[in-house]
Amino acid sequence: MARNKYPEETVEKILDVSTRLFMENGYDQTSIQDIIDQLGGLSKGAIYHHFKSKADILLAIVDRVSAGKAEEMQAIVADATLTGAAKLRQMFLSSFKDSTQRELIASMPNLVKNPQLLSLHLSNTIEDVVPHYILPVIQEGIDDGSIQCDYPQEMADVLMLLTNVWLNPLIYPATQEGIRRKIALFNQILASLGFPTLEAGLDEHIQLVGEKMSRLQNKDVLDTLEVHLL
């Protein structure tokens, strides 16, 4: 068998096709065969040469999206025109309003039912996001007077627990009213601690994730019924 001269291109093609299918149909509703059918001649062996499973493909997609988000966060951290408080607020707004990230999140499986993905999500938050982005910005805000906080490390941990777990619809599903109340309480907590609050309407961005998740789940039910009817 001829050796693939462009393995990187093959990997990118697999990830591009998989990302599109996951976003259109949902991760659980997309099979490896669905991906193969859209790869224009690549075989199942070509996929398994680079990825052990569909879960590995999803993890690679998440890594690719995270790399782009990391560059954006690094730019915010390095922006000398912003105070620490302004940087923190910009980070939250960027994360909530990122349409690509929102679509990817909506397509993913429930993290509570997928321990491996949940573990990776929490590990990334604890080992990367907190020490490299949130904590330095909080400390900068304390130094420049824009943030009042006596416990920067603990506050960084709590903020990530609230945003990446409690406000995450993949872990805590909620109605639109429930999300609105969560955002209101989150802002109340931030304000009471002297942190910058988030703008109104963010509940709509989180709700978009929930609505997309519901559509994908309903599509799966309809597809299953169609199969049984046939």
Side-chain angles (χ1 to χ4, degrees), residues 27 55 60 65 68 75 82 87 111 118 131-132 152 158 160 174 181 183 197:
Y27 171 82
V65 172
L82 299 176
K87 290 179 181 181
L111 294 184
L118 178 60
H132 296 142
V158 168
M160 288 297 93
R181 291 173 64 85
I183 292 291
T197 57

Side-chain angles (χ1 to χ4, degrees), residues 149-218:
C149 179
D150 296 326
Y151 308 98
Q153 176 66 65
E154 291 72 18
M155 182 51 62
D157 291 337
V158 168
L159 288 177
M160 288 297 93
L161 179 65
L162 290 174
T163 55
N164 283 9
V165 177
W166 186 58
L167 284 174
N168 188 336
L170 293 176
I171 300 176
Y172 273 90
T175 63
Q176 185 170 8
E177 174 62 15
I179 291 171
R180 187 195 65 77
R181 291 173 64 85
K182 283 187 173 188
I183 292 291
L185 176 58
F186 184 56
N187 271 333
Q188 193 175 87
I189 292 170
L190 292 177
S192 69
L193 295 170
F195 276 61
T197 57
L198 302 176
E199 66 185 36
L202 280 180
D203 54 313
E204 295 178 7
H205 291 276
I206 299 178
Q207 182 62 22
L208 285 172
V209 175
E211 291 174 355
K212 176 67 179 292
M213 290 169 64
S214 295
R215 287 198 299 272
L216 292 175
Q217 291 168 0
N218 289 337

Side-chain angles (χ1 to χ4, degrees), residues 211-229:
E211 291 174 355
K212 176 67 179 292
M213 290 169 64
S214 295
R215 287 198 299 272
L216 292 175
Q217 291 168 0
N218 289 337
K219 180 179 184 302
D220 185 38
V221 171
L222 291 173
D223 289 345
T224 301
L225 286 174
E226 183 178 353
V227 169
H228 285 297
L229 287 172

Side-chain angles (χ1 to χ4, degrees), residues 2 32 42 68 79 92 109 111 127 133 142 160 191 205 223 229:
I32 288 289
L42 284 180
D79 190 341
F92 284 139
L111 294 184
E127 298 171 7
Y133 304 106
I142 293 172
M160 288 297 93
H205 291 276
D223 289 345
L229 287 172

Side-chain angles (χ1 to χ4, degrees), residues 34-228:
D34 292 330
I35 297 171
I36 293 170
D37 291 343
Q38 297 293 318
L39 281 175
L42 284 180
S43 66
K44 182 178 293 189
I47 290 184
Y48 286 117
H49 176 74
H50 298 286
F51 301 101
K52 295 179 181 179
S53 64
K54 187 174 72 168
D56 277 352
I57 295 176
L58 177 60
L59 293 177
I61 292 171
V62 171
D63 284 343
R64 187 165 67 168
V65 172
S66 297
K69 180 57 64 175
E71 292 180 3
E72 184 178 347
M73 292 299 171
Q74 288 165 1
I76 294 173
V77 172
D79 190 341
T81 67
L82 299 176
T83 64
K87 290 179 181 181
L88 184 67
R89 186 172 185 275
Q90 188 61 38
M91 285 180 175
F92 284 139
L93 292 176
S94 174
S95 295
F96 282 126
K97 291 186 173 183
D98 187 313
S99 60
T100 300
Q101 182 169 285
R102 188 170 64 220
E103 288 288 311
L104 180 60
I105 290 173
S107 71
M108 290 176 65
N110 186 303
L111 294 184
V112 175
K113 298 178 181 179
N114 290 269
Q116 181 187 16
L117 292 176
L118 178 60
S119 176
L120 288 170
H121 175 66
L122 295 176
S123 295
N124 177 65
T125 298
I126 295 168
E127 298 171 7
D128 184 40
V129 178
V130 167
H132 296 142
Y133 304 106
I134 304 302
L135 181 57
V137 165
I138 290 177
Q139 189 60 60
E140 183 178 343
I142 293 172
D143 293 341
D144 65 30
S146 62
I147 291 175
Q148 290 75 54
C149 179
D150 296 326
Y151 308 98
Q153 176 66 65
E154 291 72 18
M155 182 51 62
D157 291 337
V158 168
L159 288 177
M160 288 297 93
L161 179 65
L162 290 174
T163 55
N164 283 9
V165 177
W166 186 58
L167 284 174
N168 188 336
L170 293 176
I171 300 176
Y172 273 90
T175 63
Q176 185 170 8
E177 174 62 15
I179 291 171
R180 187 195 65 77
R181 291 173 64 85
K182 283 187 173 188
I183 292 291
L185 176 58
F186 184 56
N187 271 333
Q188 193 175 87
I189 292 170
L190 292 177
S192 69
L193 295 170
F195 276 61
T197 57
L198 302 176
E199 66 185 36
L202 280 180
D203 54 313
E204 295 178 7
H205 291 276
I206 299 178
Q207 182 62 22
L208 285 172
V209 175
E211 291 174 355
K212 176 67 179 292
M213 290 169 64
S214 295
R215 287 198 299 272
L216 292 175
Q217 291 168 0
N218 289 337
K219 180 179 184 302
D220 185 38
V221 171
L222 291 173
D223 289 345
T224 301
L225 286 174
E226 183 178 353
V227 169
H228 285 297

